Amino acid sequence: MNIVEYIVAWLSTNAGKLIWLATVIVVAIIVSKLVSRGLRKLLDRSQVPSASIFINLARVLIWVLAVTIVLQPVFGINPTTLITALGVGGVAISLGMKDTIANVIGGFGLMLGKVIQPGDLVTVAGTTGVVKDITWRHTVVKARSGDEIVIPNSVLNTSSLERVTEASEGCVTVPFTLKSGTDLDAASMRMIAAVGKATAEYAADGNPPLVKFTGFSPYGVEGEIMVFAKPGVFASTIRDAAVRSLAGEEFLEQRAATGE
């Protein structure tokens, strides 16, 4: 018997098993897509945060069920025997996947406890941005710069987390020093007017520039002007506009800015 005849004979013998396997796979794919779409719509309408961790869990359960269905008729493996074997090796598996398990448990803890949700503006592990998604292994935070930072869920459970407002997240400060003898109120008004005009297209609505005086130096009175960037504007962009608008003002001590 040549190889072609052997393949034909094998296909004839196992045709029923192959058809059953293909049927289960196709049904699992269709059900997985339908359940994912339905679950996403349901989460969007409910009070439960919509995150991929729940979608992924549903997909896993569907495929585990599909594998269980085909084990005995296609591969001749008793599902009960396999579960028993996995139970015996469960300790070894859990030790080898302890980080993954910690991330999965951490993800569910974060979501069910509503510690953070997609869309929240947070500062965590030194990163500030909007929570884009929470998977079963990590959380994706999108910073103002557009960078996406991936933080393991286990880190989130052990790190301090701070919810921030849009105004504080977009706050940019520009330090300055007023020359000795300068009228503080008059200088403040001029700086606010100049910076407000220069940063109008970059600033958040309803958040005009603020001037705060912070102390004294040998050159004069130190302070900082605070501007608030709207979402999507880089901090460097609005800071550049603010600095340009103040350059050359006679009441500002330029040496303090250049380090002289």
Side-chain angles (χ1 to χ4, degrees):
M1 180 182 295
N2 58 37
I3 186 65
V4 176
E5 293 175 342
Y6 177 80
I7 293 175
V8 172
W10 185 88
L11 290 175
S12 300
T13 303
N14 297 280
K17 295 181 179 180
L18 294 175
I19 293 174
W20 176 246
L21 178 62
T23 302
V24 172
I25 291 176
V26 172
V27 171
I29 293 174
I30 295 174
V31 172
S32 178
K33 290 183 177 180
L34 292 176
V35 170
S36 297
R37 292 176 183 175
L39 188 56
R40 190 174 297 279
K41 292 181 180 179
L42 180 63
L43 290 174
D44 290 339
R45 296 175 183 176
S46 69
Q47 297 298 321
V48 180
S50 178
S52 62
I53 186 171
F54 298 110
I55 310 296
N56 291 335
L57 176 62
R59 289 173 177 169
V60 169
L61 292 177
I62 291 171
W63 282 104
V64 167
L65 179 60
V67 170
T68 303
I69 292 174
V70 300
L71 277 177
Q72 182 70 41
V74 177
F75 301 101
I77 300 175
N78 191 327
T80 304
T81 304
L82 180 61
I83 293 173
T84 302
L86 291 175
V88 174
V91 176
I93 294 174
S94 63
L95 290 175
M97 301 180 64
K98 60 180 181 180
D99 291 338
T100 299
I101 294 173
N103 288 328
V104 172
I105 295 175
F108 276 106
L110 292 169
M111 293 301 298
L112 297 179
K114 295 185 178 181
V115 178
I116 57 173
Q117 304 175 29
D120 283 352
L121 190 57
V122 299
T123 295
V124 59
T127 298
T128 299
V130 177
V131 178
K132 183 178 180 181
D133 191 16
I134 301 175
T135 71
W136 56 5
R137 294 192 66 252
H138 56 257
T139 295
V140 181
V141 176
K142 187 173 183 178
R144 178 176 287 269
S145 63
D147 297 335
E148 293 185 356
I149 297 90
V150 177
I151 305 174
N153 292 331
S154 58
V155 173
L156 286 176
N157 274 336
T158 57
S159 301
S160 60
L161 183 147
E162 178 183 2
R163 289 191 179 91
V164 297
T165 63
E166 289 187 359
S168 62
E169 186 271 339
C171 180
V172 177
T173 60
V174 178
F176 63 83
T177 301
L178 292 182
K179 295 179 179 179
S180 300
T182 301
D183 186 321
L184 302 186
D185 292 334
S188 296
M189 293 177 63
R190 286 184 58 178
M191 285 190 290
I192 290 174
V195 172
K197 181 179 180 181
T199 62
E201 63 178 305
Y202 309 120
D205 295 335
N207 290 282
L210 298 175
V211 171
K212 301 293 183 181
F213 295 104
T214 58
F216 302 92
S217 75
Y219 299 114
V221 180
E222 295 182 340
E224 58 186 21
I225 186 162
M226 305 165 66
V227 287
F228 304 91
K230 62 184 178 183
V233 175
F234 291 171
S236 59
T237 300
I238 195 168
R239 181 183 289 111
D240 176 76
V243 172
R244 289 175 183 271
S245 68
L246 296 176
E249 292 286 0
E250 70 279 359
F251 53 81
L252 291 177
E253 177 54 71
Q254 301 295 326
R255 291 180 298 176
T258 59
E260 293 181 2

